[in-house]
Amino acid sequence: MKPEPLTLPPSPNWYCARCSDAAPGGIFGFAARTSVFLVRVGPSAGANPGAPPFRVVGELVGHTERVSGFTFSHHPGQYNLCATSSDDGTVKIWDVETKAVVTEHSFHQHTISALHWSPTVKDLIVSGDEKGVVFCYWLNRNDSQHFFPEPRTIFCLTCSPHHEDLVAIGYKDGIVVIIDISKKGEVIHRLRGHDDEIHSIAWCPLSGEDCLPVNQEENSEPDIPNGKLVAETPITKGCYLATGSKDQTIRIWSCSRGRGIMVLKLPFLKRRGGGVDPAVKERLWLTLHWPNNQPTQLVSSCFGGELLLWDLTQSWRRKYTLFSTSAEGQNHSRIIFNLCPLKTEDDKQLLLSTSMDRDVKCWDMATLECCWTLPSLGGFAYSLAFSPVDVGCLAIGVGDGMIRVWNTLSIKNNYEVKSFWQGVKSKVTALCWHPNKEGCLAFGTDDGKVGLYDTCSNKPPQISSTYHKKTVYRLAWGPPVPPMSLGGEGDRPSLTLYSCGGEGIVLQHNPWKLSGEAFNINKLVRDTNSIRYKLPVHTEISWKGDGKVMALGNEDGSIEIFQVPNLKLLCTIQQHHKLVNAVVWHHEHGSRPELSCLIASGSNNAVIYVHNLRTVLESNPESPVTITEPFRTLSGHTAKVTSLAWSPHHDGRLVSACYDGTAQVWDALREEPLFNFRGHRGRLLCVAWSPVDPECIYSGADDFCVCRWLTSMQDHSRPPQGKKCIELEKKRLSQPKPKLKKKKKPTLRLPGKQDSSIVTEDESSRETSGPVENGVSDQDGEEEAQEPELPSPVVSGEAVSCIAVSLGVEKSKVTVNSKATSLKKEPPKEKPEALLKKRKARSMLPLSTSLDHRSKEELHRDCLVLATATHAKAELNEDVSADLEERFHLGLFTDRATLYRMMETEGKGHLESGHPELFHQLMLWKGDLKGVLQAAAERGELTDSLVAVAPVAGYSVWLWAVEAFAKQLCFQDQYVKAASYLLSIHKVYEAVELLKSNHFYREAIAVAKARLRPEDPVLKDLYLSWGSILEKDGHYAIAAKCYLGATSAYDAAKVLARKGDAASLRTAAELASIAGESELAASLALRCAQELLLVKNWVGAQEALGLHESLQGQRLVFCLLELLCRHLEEKQPPEVRSPSSVYHQWATGSEGDLMQRVTGVWRNTFSVDTPEQCRAALKKLQDVKYPSATSNTPFRQLLLHVCHDLTLAILSQQTASWEEAVPALLQAVLRSYTSGNFTLMQEIYSAFLPSGCDYLRDKLGDLSLTTAAFKSLEAFFIYGQLYEVWWSLCGPGPESSIWVKSTVPAEQREPEDSASAEDTEPVAAAAQPQSSPPSGPGLRLSGESERLLSACRKLFSERHANLQASQRTVAEVQETLAEMIRQHQKSQLCKATANGPSRDDPGQEAEQAPSRPQSPREESNAPVSLPELTRRLTEANKKIAEFPESIKAWPFPDVLECCLVLLHIGSQCPGAVNPEMQQQAEELLQKYGHTRAYRRYCQTLHMNFQRP
């Protein structure tokens, strides 16, 4: 069984009487949120030597709401059984060994508040709820009984350890009763004395009442309780009971007499630094534990987290001993909720405690000292960051308002965690260590705060005086930029702190002077790059390792790359189309320095893109470059990607965290998923790679957990896909949501017991000396920090246990604030009108609003008409004027005269519909005050009629009345009417701001445009603000009109393009073209064409490309692509052809070869005929670069890239530039070859070189620059034909063809059943010539084949064979080194787990099995020393460096592979291969076939040819 990942668990639940327990033998469990975490304690925990003996071993998952009770069975033989109760109304019985539910019941109709497994009856579980109902459930016979002793809220209950029928119950009002369940719940004793909630009940471990002196208590209860004399019975005789209450007292009761015998008052213990905080006195939880072997001693909690050991023999002196007096800071710092004893396997008596300080502590009862502490998390794990200076220190930003610093390399304690809370007071959403300064940690919070912590000291943090308006998304250290970099060396820091906030700006903070103002870098970006349009909303920032380049991720999905010192824009990556969540640069200390230019990014869509910016960074272009093709694409996740991290130990290895509930490790260079971690039960928010262990990764999620896991221990290699993921989502969404509790009477009583573990805001605000306390879930439900709206999460996993059912609970539970709910009254029944919803105010511009809700085509037409009207340099022509008159609602976005016409139309509509008051308000907006406003003020209740006569009292009174009435209207949510009254007294800016602040943007724009100057900046701000909101809500067409109204056509085009469909992209391209944004128009038109290409709409794609003249070259590429697809489709059988393709008329003809058809269409359709036109198109296409192909490249993308290269080749031929045509044609061939598409490679040759390469050789002449490229092209041509000859021989029943001639008549041939040659790996098949059927007497090679075999001499290049052998040696050595490292890591892991609970683990044998040599004769298994491998690698690299660049520049077919194929042909057709060539092939194989890939084939070949 593989080890569990090391988990930093959620905090134990608060304000529960019994939500933790321990079983004999060393298993401890505590309830945290909706599950129970299990901890193995003692020698069997398998902890490292010297470390505390405990380990988190699992989790019980099944409840849908907060777990309120947890108890173990303490009966021998069933220590593995436990019971839980939850706010979902169920009681479940579990088997902790299998972590499965044995059985459950849901008898309770109200919230369960108490639970206990009887210590005397092995199958009895007793539970009580808030209405006072007690249920007894017998597990073995599946029977139950319920009792109702008192109509009060139960707080706790405990079964007697001495009598199987007695149960003590404590209530919220301080009453304690003892009932007999054998007598239908009859109350045996009713114990009165406490004045407040009963938090804990403990029975004396010894039966009888001889262990304590009872004569010292003078103020005891009367001997006749409840007014009756109770006869002594065997049940009531000889038993003590202890109770702890919120009234700050502990009382000891005698069950034989039914009265109290002892009262212990909690002391106020002064701590260092002052007295007791009054808030601490009010917030008290008094829990008890009566030790089994010490009946005269009692353990209790105290006010501030202390533990007291009371001496009950001297109660009159109130004698107690404080736990952990020798060590400072070992006690809890907050109140303690639960105490439970544990006896370990080595007979140690321990006591475990859970507290509000989120720590679980273990105490040695012999010494009263703290043995160990298990920290926990009280909120989402938002951020993880490893210190680059203090290696192994992991900082964790948590939603409970605290920062944890985890020393992951500690040998003595796996959970060595320090907490920092001073000055935070909000969710910690971002962290970043200083690259050079030890202990300097920057943090950002949910409320926009940025600060610096010195983790090496106890000083409070430094807080920046400049706050973000929203959540801090990301922090980063980087070099200073102006104006902070303008000072001298001694006047400015070498590194400054950059923070990115939810409002979309990046601030630069001076770490030397955080009290100073932070600078917004947007101003520098605008000034340096002369940007006129609105800058995108920034969501992510990342600095390259050398500090020379900065990347900014944006809300629209783009990524911008800036260069220091002035943030010059180098390029923009237009790949994502949704908000960018993560951008990370590859590290710079790997074995391949060129990889430091890789940048990985993840967004709200599930795809991760990797871009190689090496060319851009080295060329330093004058104008910004737009990148639209990724270097690598990593697909597999099914939800938003939230965090990325490169491995510091590998080249090109990446880990991603995703909302699908998994973390994925990728080989980014191969686009290959490697390992998938599914250990979380929620959405992952952050991930970090260990700087020490190459296999160790840390991840944090919204399940309040941080997990440490190993890549080699994962069962899955990729995220869950398809049906499984959909089923998990359905299960998650079908979980029941918590309901608000209804109260019968609207009483104003204050709550005693806080619901769940949620602390009210009053309580949090009173406590200023500690961290923000929000219990089980953070205030506001821990909303997702990267996005305003919280999408439906997707959680993946194998079983139901992986479903994060707690997320919905978390959101809704926080709304049930106990104090706020109790103060809220139900509406009185005599006023049913109070229950009615407020009617929505009638729109002032209903006609305009309705016209903005038409079809998408009409809205796009609105944008084009508006763009034409706003960018017209002269007077509008008749057609545009007619369009504007017809579309009167566009007056909102044009000039004032058009707006007036719109308002007149709207006014007529109001009059026709019977709303003259709205018509008057429209006239008021225009400034026509006559007959509309006559205002006055009388008494304190203002109405329209009273304000109308206000001028009679004078001008000043009228002004006051209007202002007062406007305020009154605002209180009544009539903001539009209030704005109208403000306009009446010429307070235009106040009216506009009022409408804007309450989201009446349409009306605000109408007012501002009608009353303010056209150049007033307020109007533009309104357009931009409304456009931003509409853009976030997905109303892209209306947002585009807003940006057009603000004369920002660039932003209008971009927002229209965000929809991503072909129609929107085309409209955006046309709009950008009208506005003169040619570059943007070209990029959008190209994106539109690519979208249409996906649905094979060739006609639409060409129409989109025709929108911009600069895309003429791309039209030629798409034309060639259409013809090539048509050509390939014609070769397919009719039944498999795609019927959905929409081809041009010119693509349906079949006369002539493909080359002639392409040039003919270019000439006749696209008017590309002259060399000058071809040269212009060639120059534009040469600026477009595509990444090299891999085996994972999609076929459509491969075809597009191949056609781009073929277009370059044809254009070069048309301009007689043969030195450029050959490399372009070779590039197309190489793309097909490297992607493994042999058929496409042969189609390229047959279509563009039908008669071979001799034609190109004649055209090139003696051009030395392209000689190497031509040789490579010719070699691949011969290579392809060589395989065709071989497959002609290997095919079933070969017939006469260009390569093979058959002399046997067709009717005499026998069919053969053999595998298709295309299904066999060429090298593998060629290596076994004896397994292939020899050619019969009726089969011989044609003359064409013999000429081809003679031409194969060109493939037998010894220089290329030598180079390829050296390259194979390098690859083999690197593979051997990687295998040595992996075996070493496995051996270390086996040593680390050797002391675990299962030494004879069959999984370890399975892991070690591959390392055994499979055959003693296999030379590859002989051990090789590291120096020997280093020597081989050095020699091979030295050899490669000696080869000329002309050899290394262009790939060449594998020479040894060609030798094997040729020898195989010779073995099938004896005499067909020249003996000299055969001997040359054998010599090359013997000389260069020493690597592992060819060693076995060469040995087989040697045996075959040496055999007599």
Side-chain angles (χ1 to χ4, degrees):
M1 192 176 173
K2 62 181 184 179
E4 292 279 343
L6 189 63
T7 304
L8 205 58
S11 300
N13 290 343
W14 297 354
Y15 300 108
C16 298
R18 182 181 284 106
C19 68
S20 67
D21 200 5
I27 190 74
F28 166 67
F30 63 89
R33 305 176 75 226
T34 62
S35 58
V36 174
F37 280 80
L38 302 175
V39 181
R40 176 69 64 180
V41 182
S44 61
N48 295 329
F54 74 95
R55 179 166 55 93
V56 179
V57 294
E59 185 180 3
L60 304 181
V61 180
H63 286 293
T64 59
E65 295 187 32
R66 179 192 67 125
V67 176
S68 58
F70 174 71
T71 176
F72 269 107
S73 168
H74 289 261
H75 299 276
Q78 59 180 41
Y79 292 153
N80 60 313
L81 296 182
C82 64
T84 58
S85 63
S86 169
D87 290 348
D88 60 13
T90 63
V91 173
K92 297 180 185 288
I93 289 84
W94 306 76
D95 186 339
V96 297
E97 293 180 354
T98 62
K99 301 181 180 63
V101 177
V102 177
T103 185
E104 65 177 275
H105 73 75
S106 55
F107 302 140
H108 288 279
Q109 300 298 316
H110 305 282
T111 303
I112 305 171
S113 55
L115 180 74
H116 193 210
W117 196 308
S118 173
T120 54
V121 183
K122 64 184 303 181
D123 65 336
L124 174 60
I125 299 102
V126 184
S127 55
D129 60 34
E130 292 184 349
K131 293 298 181 180
V133 181
V134 177
F135 271 92
C136 295
Y137 176 71
W138 286 270
L139 174 63
N140 293 340
R141 64 175 188 258
N142 194 23
D143 189 15
S144 67
Q145 289 185 12
H146 72 278
F147 314 110
F148 189 54
E150 296 283 340
R152 296 180 171 90
T153 300
I154 296 176
F155 248 54
C156 60
L157 62 81
T158 306
C159 301
S160 171
H162 310 300
H163 197 286
E164 63 182 20
D165 296 328
L166 294 187
V167 179
I169 306 173
Y171 291 93
K172 184 175 181 179
D173 57 1
I175 298 295
V176 178
V177 302
I178 300 175
I179 65 171
D180 187 345
I181 62 175
S182 64
K183 298 180 180 180
K184 298 183 179 180
E186 177 185 343
V187 176
I188 303 300
H189 291 295
R190 186 174 284 105
L191 309 176
R192 301 180 183 272
H194 289 294
D195 300 327
D196 212 335
E197 305 162 359
I198 305 299
H199 292 161
S200 179
I201 297 177
W203 292 86
C204 179
L206 291 184
S207 179
E209 299 185 355
D210 301 328
C211 57
L212 297 180
V214 297
N215 56 349
Q216 285 84 2
E217 179 58 52
E218 298 177 356
N219 298 323
S220 60
E221 307 295 334
D223 288 338
I224 306 178
N226 306 321
K228 294 182 181 180
L229 188 62
V230 180
E232 292 188 0
T233 64
I235 293 179
T236 62
K237 194 172 184 178
C239 192
Y240 284 133
L241 189 70
T243 55
S245 170
K246 192 179 180 181
D247 64 5
Q248 306 174 12
T249 64
I250 303 168
R251 292 180 179 263
I252 311 296
W253 309 85
S254 169
C255 292
S256 61
R257 286 175 281 183
R259 66 183 184 88
I261 62 163
M262 197 179 301
V263 179
L264 305 175
K265 183 75 172 176
L266 287 186
F268 293 115
L269 302 174
K270 289 188 177 182
R271 290 191 174 184
R272 186 169 56 185
V276 180
D277 189 349
V280 175
K281 292 183 181 180
E282 290 184 16
R283 186 179 56 241
L284 168 67
W285 191 271
L286 208 168
T287 184
L288 304 175
H289 162 60
W290 209 323
N292 284 335
N293 55 350
Q294 299 171 331
T296 60
Q297 294 181 330
L298 182 69
V299 180
S300 78
S301 61
C302 201
F303 292 103
E306 304 89 352
L307 285 178
L308 306 178
L309 181 64
W310 296 88
D311 185 354
L312 302 182
T313 61
Q314 303 181 23
S315 61
W316 66 95
R317 297 175 54 187
R318 207 168 67 162
K319 184 177 180 182
Y320 57 84
T321 304
L322 189 64
F323 275 55
S324 186
T325 56
S326 62
E328 181 67 29
Q330 290 297 319
N331 280 304
H332 287 289
S333 59
R334 295 288 178 274
I335 56 176
I336 296 173
F337 293 112
N338 293 131
L339 297 173
C340 61
L342 173 64
K343 186 176 181 180
T344 62
E345 296 172 342
D346 52 356
D347 292 333
K348 281 189 177 180
Q349 294 291 341
L350 304 177
L351 184 67
L352 294 122
S353 58
T354 63
S355 167
M356 186 183 278
D357 64 4
R358 308 191 190 283
D359 284 341
V360 177
K361 288 184 179 291
C362 177
W363 307 86
D364 189 343
M365 289 299 295
T367 62
L368 304 186
E369 296 294 335
C370 181
C371 304
W372 48 261
T373 300
L374 171 63
S376 62
L377 306 181
F380 293 1
Y382 283 109
S383 179
L384 297 175
F386 271 102
S387 171
V389 180
D390 191 359
V391 179
C393 275
L394 175 64
I396 309 171
V398 191
D400 58 7
M402 288 194 283
I403 302 170
R404 272 73 166 188
V405 177
W406 185 1
N407 183 7
T408 60
L409 299 183
S410 175
I411 301 176
K412 296 182 179 180
N413 186 2
N414 290 334
Y415 291 96
E416 186 179 320
V417 176
K418 293 175 63 177
S419 298
F420 300 90
W421 51 265
Q422 292 184 354
V424 180
K425 299 181 181 179
S426 184
K427 304 170 189 175
V428 182
T429 54
L431 293 172
C432 187
W433 292 92
H434 194 284
N436 306 320
K437 188 177 180 182
E438 183 178 5
C440 183
L441 177 64
F443 68 90
T445 66
D446 179 61
D447 58 2
K449 184 189 307 176
V450 176
L452 283 179
Y453 242 117
D454 183 1
T455 60
C456 299
S457 68
N458 295 323
K459 298 178 181 179
Q462 304 177 53
I463 305 298
S464 174
S465 61
T466 307
Y467 276 58
H468 284 279
K469 296 180 181 178
K470 294 185 179 180
T471 303
V472 178
Y473 284 168
R474 191 70 65 194
L475 297 172
W477 292 93
V481 298
M484 203 170 290
S485 63
L486 300 179
E489 288 294 332
D491 300 332
R492 58 181 174 85
S494 58
L495 292 173
T496 55
L497 180 62
Y498 295 83
S499 60
C500 181
E503 72 275 22
I505 65 173
V506 176
L507 297 178
Q508 180 185 198
H509 306 264
N510 187 348
W512 288 1
K513 191 178 180 182
L514 285 178
S515 59
E517 181 183 0
F519 298 99
N520 185 350
I521 68 170
N522 278 356
K523 184 178 185 305
L524 179 61
V525 171
R526 270 185 197 281
D527 296 343
T528 302
N529 301 282
S530 302
I531 296 177
R532 298 179 290 107
Y533 50 85
K534 180 178 74 86
L535 290 177
V537 175
H538 305 309
T539 59
E540 178 70 354
I541 180 173
S542 178
W543 280 92
K544 196 170 179 290
D546 57 7
K548 297 180 180 178
V549 181
M550 178 184 69
L552 288 182
N554 300 319
E555 189 183 37
D556 60 2
S558 63
I559 301 173
E560 297 170 312
I561 309 299
F562 296 93
Q563 186 182 44
V564 295
N566 295 321
L567 298 187
K568 173 190 174 184
L569 180 61
L570 296 180
C571 68
T572 301
I573 301 173
Q574 295 284 359
Q575 206 67 58
H576 299 281
H577 302 305
K578 293 187 178 181
L579 183 145
V580 176
N581 291 318
V583 175
V584 289
W585 292 89
H586 194 282
H587 58 81
E588 301 191 341
H589 52 268
S591 59
R592 300 170 62 183
E594 67 273 11
L595 296 183
S596 64
C597 296
L598 294 185
I599 184 170
S601 57
S603 69
N604 279 0
N605 53 16
V607 184
I608 301 168
Y609 294 107
V610 180
H611 292 83
N612 190 348
L613 304 182
R614 184 180 181 184
T615 304
V616 175
L617 299 182
E618 290 179 353
S619 61
N620 193 10
E622 290 296 329
S623 59
V625 179
T626 301
I627 298 176
T628 58
E629 289 290 335
F631 175 67
R632 293 292 183 263
T633 302
L634 307 178
S635 302
H637 281 303
T638 56
K640 63 188 289 187
V641 178
T642 54
S643 180
L644 299 171
W646 291 100
S647 167
H649 313 281
H650 310 84
D651 287 335
R653 187 164 292 188
L654 183 72
V655 62
S656 58
C658 180
Y659 257 30
D660 61 12
T662 68
Q664 177 66 43
V665 179
W666 309 84
D667 186 336
L669 301 182
R670 299 182 181 178
E671 298 180 329
E672 179 183 355
L674 300 178
F675 311 101
N676 184 255
F677 175 67
R678 304 183 182 183
H680 285 283
R681 290 198 307 112
R683 306 163 299 180
L684 270 70
L685 302 177
C686 52
V687 68
W689 210 300
S690 170
V692 178
D693 189 348
E695 283 205 345
C696 178
I697 297 175
Y698 293 80
S699 56
D702 63 5
D703 59 0
F704 290 46
C705 288
V706 171
C707 291
R708 174 189 182 274
W709 48 278
L710 303 178
T711 56
S712 61
M713 291 296 159
Q714 306 313 310
D715 297 329
H716 306 277
S717 61
R718 62 174 61 245
Q721 301 290 323
K723 185 177 179 181
K724 182 188 296 184
C725 191
I726 295 172
E727 289 176 352
L728 289 174
E729 172 69 1
K730 288 182 179 178
K731 289 180 182 179
R732 177 172 185 161
L733 294 179
S734 65
Q735 293 297 332
K737 296 183 178 179
K739 300 178 181 179
L740 296 177
K741 301 173 187 176
K742 297 181 180 179
K743 300 194 174 183
K744 293 184 178 179
K745 298 179 181 179
T747 56
L748 296 179
R749 56 189 174 85
L750 291 176
K753 176 181 179 183
Q754 284 84 344
D755 181 46
S756 179
S757 50
I758 303 168
V759 179
T760 60
E761 293 186 8
D762 278 350
E763 219 169 73
S764 297
S765 61
R766 285 199 305 265
E767 168 114 330
T768 58
S769 61
V772 178
E773 296 163 352
N774 36 25
V776 153
S777 59
D778 291 349
Q779 302 285 342
D780 304 326
E782 280 280 9
E783 294 90 356
E784 215 289 287
Q786 289 285 331
E787 202 174 10
E789 52 271 355
L790 186 66
S792 299
V794 179
V795 176
S796 306
E798 285 289 308
V800 181
S801 62
C802 292
I803 303 173
V805 297
S806 59
L807 295 179
V809 178
E810 179 184 286
K811 183 86 177 176
S812 55
K813 268 197 170 300
V814 177
T815 62
V816 192
N817 187 305
S818 57
K819 188 168 291 188
T821 306
S822 61
L823 295 175
K824 189 174 182 180
K825 295 184 179 181
E826 292 183 357
K829 293 183 179 180
E830 59 270 21
K831 293 184 179 180
E833 65 273 6
L835 299 175
L836 297 177
K837 294 183 179 179
K838 295 181 180 179
R839 292 188 60 185
K840 186 177 180 181
R842 182 176 178 84
S843 173
M844 287 294 298
L845 305 170
L847 300 179
S848 301
T849 305
S850 62
L851 291 177
D852 274 336
H853 289 79
R854 294 175 297 166
S855 64
K856 181 169 64 176
E857 291 76 12
E858 289 294 332
L859 295 178
H860 289 172
R861 181 59 185 166
D862 285 349
C863 294
L864 297 179
V865 171
L866 183 58
T868 304
T870 54
H871 288 82
K873 297 181 179 178
E875 293 185 0
L876 298 178
N877 55 39
E878 295 181 359
D879 294 337
V880 177
S881 300
D883 284 339
L884 285 176
E885 290 181 4
E886 178 185 355
R887 302 172 186 271
F888 64 88
H889 63 291
L890 296 182
L892 195 65
F893 307 97
T894 54
D895 57 1
R896 185 175 295 179
T898 314
L899 177 70
Y900 282 172
R901 289 198 299 271
M902 184 198 78
M903 297 176 75
E904 289 175 3
T905 306
E906 293 280 4
K908 292 178 181 178
H910 287 314
L911 291 176
E912 292 173 0
S913 59
H915 295 282
E917 71 281 359
L918 299 181
F919 171 76
H920 293 158
Q921 291 187 39
L922 279 178
M923 296 303 103
L924 182 65
W925 288 3
K926 293 175 61 175
D928 184 11
L929 302 179
K930 185 177 180 181
V932 178
L933 286 179
Q934 296 173 1
E938 290 184 4
R939 296 189 297 270
E941 298 177 356
L942 295 176
T943 62
D944 292 284
S945 58
L946 293 177
V947 175
V949 297
V952 178
Y955 180 74
S956 60
V957 175
W958 173 69
L959 288 180
W960 172 85
V962 171
E963 290 184 1
F965 191 42
K967 292 180 182 179
Q968 179 179 317
L969 290 172
C970 289
F971 283 118
Q972 297 171 355
D973 293 339
Q974 300 184 42
Y975 302 107
V976 176
K977 192 174 181 180
S980 302
Y981 275 95
L982 290 176
L983 288 173
S984 68
I985 55 176
H986 304 291
K987 293 195 173 183
V988 181
Y989 288 103
E990 289 81 352
V992 171
E993 183 61 30
L994 175 65
L995 292 171
K996 175 187 173 184
S997 60
N998 291 283
H999 304 290
F1000 288 91
Y1001 286 98
R1002 187 182 300 273
E1003 290 79 0
I1005 292 174
V1007 171
K1009 204 165 188 67
R1011 300 294 296 274
L1012 299 177
R1013 291 175 289 107
E1015 64 273 9
D1016 197 306
V1018 171
L1019 185 59
K1020 185 173 183 179
D1021 179 65
L1022 282 172
Y1023 279 128
L1024 295 179
S1025 301
W1026 190 24
S1028 299
I1029 291 178
L1030 291 170
E1031 185 177 350
K1032 289 182 180 179
D1033 293 341
H1035 304 303
Y1036 299 130
I1038 309 177
K1041 290 191 282 188
C1042 288
Y1043 292 136
L1044 287 172
T1047 65
S1048 182
Y1050 185 92
D1051 295 319
K1054 288 193 67 176
V1055 73
L1056 270 180
R1058 286 195 61 180
K1059 188 73 174 177
D1061 60 301
S1064 300
L1065 290 170
R1066 175 160 185 165
T1067 305
E1070 293 183 24
L1071 193 153
S1073 181
I1074 293 174
E1077 299 286 351
S1078 57
E1079 185 178 350
L1080 178 62
S1083 65
L1084 293 175
L1086 181 57
R1087 279 182 57 192
C1088 177
Q1090 291 173 346
E1091 289 292 328
L1092 293 170
L1093 183 62
L1094 296 177
V1095 295
K1096 295 185 179 179
N1097 187 350
W1098 303 99
V1099 176
Q1102 286 290 353
E1103 291 177 354
L1105 294 174
L1107 296 175
H1108 206 274
E1109 296 179 357
S1110 65
L1111 297 177
Q1112 178 71 12
Q1114 293 293 340
R1115 297 191 70 187
L1116 302 182
V1117 174
F1118 275 64
C1119 170
L1120 175 56
L1121 178 59
E1122 182 177 354
L1123 291 171
L1124 180 60
C1125 289
R1126 179 70 175 175
H1127 176 72
L1128 296 175
E1129 187 177 307
E1130 289 173 351
K1131 292 193 173 185
Q1132 294 178 349
E1135 60 271 9
V1136 299
R1137 296 181 183 176
S1138 174
S1140 60
S1141 301
V1142 182
Y1143 290 105
H1144 284 88
Q1145 185 64 31
W1146 42 259
T1148 57
S1150 59
E1151 61 279 355
D1153 58 17
L1154 182 61
M1155 183 77 170
Q1156 294 174 348
R1157 291 166 61 189
V1158 170
T1159 54
V1161 173
W1162 285 4
R1163 181 173 54 257
N1164 300 328
T1165 305
F1166 299 99
S1167 302
V1168 178
D1169 192 10
T1170 63
E1172 290 76 13
Q1173 293 173 334
C1174 294
R1175 199 171 291 111
L1178 179 63
K1179 185 176 180 181
K1180 291 180 180 178
L1181 288 178
Q1182 283 176 338
D1183 295 334
V1184 181
K1185 302 295 181 184
Y1186 291 118
S1188 58
T1190 66
S1191 58
N1192 295 323
T1193 303
F1195 183 68
R1196 294 185 185 278
Q1197 182 179 343
L1198 176 66
L1199 275 180
L1200 178 62
H1201 296 177
V1202 167
C1203 289
H1204 180 271
D1205 296 327
L1206 293 176
T1207 305
L1208 293 176
I1210 298 175
L1211 290 173
S1212 300
Q1213 291 184 22
Q1214 297 295 317
T1215 58
S1217 302
W1218 301 100
E1219 67 279 1
E1220 296 179 359
V1222 171
L1225 186 57
L1226 177 59
Q1227 187 64 37
V1229 172
L1230 290 177
R1231 290 188 191 276
S1232 308
Y1233 175 73
T1234 54
S1235 65
N1237 200 318
F1238 187 85
T1239 304
L1240 181 59
M1241 184 180 76
Q1242 292 301 96
E1243 287 295 337
I1244 293 174
Y1245 275 118
S1246 64
F1248 295 93
L1249 292 175
S1251 58
C1253 301
D1254 296 337
Y1255 175 75
L1256 286 179
R1257 182 186 294 107
D1258 297 339
K1259 293 294 183 181
L1260 287 174
D1262 297 330
L1263 293 174
S1264 59
L1265 296 177
T1266 56
T1267 302
F1270 175 76
K1271 288 182 178 180
S1272 178
L1273 181 65
E1274 186 179 23
F1276 276 105
F1277 176 76
I1278 300 172
Y1279 169 81
Q1281 291 189 329
L1282 179 63
Y1283 263 101
E1284 289 188 357
V1285 172
W1286 177 39
W1287 288 338
S1288 298
L1289 293 172
C1290 296
E1295 299 181 356
S1296 298
S1297 66
I1298 188 175
W1299 307 111
V1300 178
K1301 298 297 183 181
S1302 177
T1303 59
V1304 179
E1307 59 272 9
Q1308 299 180 12
R1309 298 174 192 156
E1310 296 181 359
E1312 299 180 10
D1313 296 330
S1314 61
S1316 174
E1318 293 185 4
D1319 297 335
T1320 308
E1321 184 67 27
V1323 176
Q1328 300 175 2
Q1330 72 276 10
S1331 64
S1332 301
S1335 64
L1339 189 66
R1340 65 181 178 84
L1341 295 179
S1342 64
E1344 185 67 26
S1345 298
E1346 293 176 354
R1347 283 193 295 272
L1348 171 67
L1349 295 180
S1350 300
C1352 286
R1353 295 180 182 275
K1354 298 178 181 179
L1355 293 177
F1356 298 163
S1357 170
E1358 183 159 358
R1359 300 179 71 185
H1360 286 93
N1362 192 2
L1363 174 62
Q1364 292 168 0
S1366 301
Q1367 292 171 341
R1368 281 191 291 268
T1369 300
V1370 172
E1372 185 175 317
V1373 170
Q1374 291 176 343
E1375 183 180 352
T1376 304
L1377 286 172
E1379 180 65 20
M1380 290 174 65
I1381 294 173
R1382 191 177 69 85
Q1383 293 296 338
H1384 175 71
Q1385 291 174 347
K1386 279 193 174 183
S1387 64
Q1388 293 297 322
L1389 183 63
C1390 291
K1391 290 179 182 179
T1393 58
N1395 296 326
S1398 177
R1399 293 177 179 266
D1400 299 327
D1401 193 347
Q1404 296 181 4
E1405 295 180 5
E1407 289 181 358
Q1408 295 173 1
S1411 63
R1412 299 170 184 167
Q1414 298 182 8
S1415 173
R1417 292 176 294 178
E1418 287 192 11
E1419 184 182 347
S1420 60
N1421 286 327
V1424 183
S1425 64
L1426 184 60
E1428 174 63 20
L1429 290 175
T1430 306
R1431 184 189 63 78
R1432 291 183 188 177
L1433 186 63
T1434 305
E1435 290 180 356
N1437 285 326
K1438 186 177 180 181
K1439 271 189 179 182
I1440 293 174
E1442 292 174 354
F1443 283 94
E1445 290 298 326
S1446 60
I1447 298 295
K1448 295 186 289 185
W1450 300 103
F1452 198 83
D1454 194 326
V1455 177
L1456 300 187
E1457 179 186 347
C1458 298
C1459 293
L1460 288 172
V1461 176
L1462 186 69
L1463 293 176
H1464 183 55
I1465 294 174
S1467 66
Q1468 287 185 306
C1469 295
V1473 181
N1474 189 341
E1476 182 181 351
M1477 289 180 59
Q1478 185 169 343
Q1479 181 180 359
Q1480 184 181 1
E1482 294 176 9
E1483 290 176 354
L1484 287 173
L1485 282 170
Q1486 293 173 0
K1487 186 174 182 181
Y1488 299 108
H1490 54 79
T1491 56
R1492 188 180 304 152
Y1494 285 96
R1495 187 182 299 127
R1496 179 167 60 87
Y1497 306 133
C1498 293
Q1499 291 175 355
T1500 305
L1501 185 70
H1502 180 70
M1503 292 172 62
N1504 290 334
F1505 286 98
Q1506 293 297 325
R1507 192 175 299 161

